[in-house]
Amino acid sequence: INLKLLPVHDAQSTEYINSVWFPMVKKNGMRFIAFVLPDSSLGKMSSQNAHKNVQNINGVIINNFSDEFEARKWLKSMN
């Protein structure tokens, strides 16, 4: 999931991501998610904070990347 253009997550977005979106994608069979983080420090911190506890709660394996090529490479290696 490319988050490069998303500057920051607000509190409501973080709550939705953790309580609705992640459980929904897990229910639909997604086990691995590769996030391509924004370049800015604030954007990176905001994105990481939005899903920091999800891996433990939902059993979804998450990895963060700075570019899409590395994210796709990691996803392919997980199958």
Side-chain angles (χ1 to χ4, degrees), residues 28-48:
N28 287 311
M30 189 175 292
R31 299 179 325 177
F32 308 105
I33 301 174
F35 286 104
V36 180
L37 299 181
D39 293 326
S40 73
S41 296
L42 184 58
K44 284 179 188 169
M45 190 169 55
S46 176
S47 295
Q48 290 169 333

Side-chain angles (χ1 to χ4, degrees), residues 6-50:
L6 186 63
V8 293
H9 293 282
D10 60 31
Q12 286 180 317
S13 296
T14 299
E15 176 63 27
Y16 175 82
I17 289 165
N18 287 320
S19 64
V20 177
W21 190 82
F22 275 116
M24 180 179 62
V25 297
K26 183 180 181 201
K27 180 180 176 186
N28 287 311
M30 189 175 292
R31 299 179 325 177
F32 308 105
I33 301 174
F35 286 104
V36 180
L37 299 181
D39 293 326
S40 73
S41 296
L42 184 58
K44 284 179 188 169
M45 190 169 55
S46 176
S47 295
Q48 290 169 333
N49 185 51

